[in-house]
């Protein structure tokens, strides 16, 4: 697996975990981009937008485009299962038992 693939998997689980912690299971892409730093990742907004689109294609989130630059991501039930480690999705870093 390439470094880029590994980084993408980490960004994806990070985004799912951030959405899990949000009060309505939703957040905008700008805040999610800033939130990646909490997990030790320095993902650019472009990287976050790319991974949000991938997560939406997998049915783990829904995306609602508000403006040309702002989207709202919302966790689906399947995404919640992956975020909490109850399910696994290839392409998303799997949570460890103590994460």
């Amino acid at each position: 697996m390439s470094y880029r693939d590994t980084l993408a998997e980490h960004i994806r689980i990070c985004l799912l975990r951030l959405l899990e912690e949000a009060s309505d299971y939703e957040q905008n892409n700008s805040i999610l981009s800033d939130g990646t730093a909490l997990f030790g990742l320095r993902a650019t907004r472009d990287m976050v937008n790319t991974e949000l689109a991938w997560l939406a294609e997998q049915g783990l989130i829904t995306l609602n485009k508000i403006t040309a630059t702002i989207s709202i991501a919302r966790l689906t039930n399947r995404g919640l299962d992956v975020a909490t480690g109850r399910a696994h999705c290839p392409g998303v870093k799997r949570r460890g038992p103590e994460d």
Side-chain angles (χ1 to χ4, degrees):
M1 180 179 296
S2 72
Y3 172 76
R4 174 68 183 123
D5 292 339
T6 300
L7 181 60
E9 286 187 355
H10 280 267
I11 292 171
R12 292 167 186 161
I13 191 63
C14 173
L15 294 170
L16 293 175
R17 289 178 69 181
L18 289 167
L19 289 168
E20 176 202 0
E21 292 180 17
S23 60
D24 298 6
Y25 298 112
E26 67 180 21
Q27 198 53 260
N28 72 49
N29 58 328
S30 179
I31 292 175
L32 290 170
S33 181
D34 291 346
T36 61
L38 298 172
F39 287 83
L41 301 168
R42 302 277 184 214
T44 66
R45 189 176 284 195
D46 283 341
M47 291 168 74
V48 167
N49 289 336
T50 297
E51 300 313 335
L52 288 173
W54 187 92
L55 291 168
E57 287 176 3
Q58 305 309 308
L60 302 175
I61 66 168
T62 59
L63 274 177
N64 183 15
K65 192 166 186 104
I66 303 300
T67 69
T69 58
I70 299 293
S71 297
I72 305 295
R74 181 170 177 78
L75 200 59
T76 64
N77 287 332
R78 181 167 180 251
L80 180 61
D81 286 343
V82 172
T84 58
R86 289 190 301 258
H88 176 65
C89 176
V92 178
K93 171 88 170 116
R94 189 171 187 155
R95 288 185 66 162
E98 297 184 25
D99 287 344

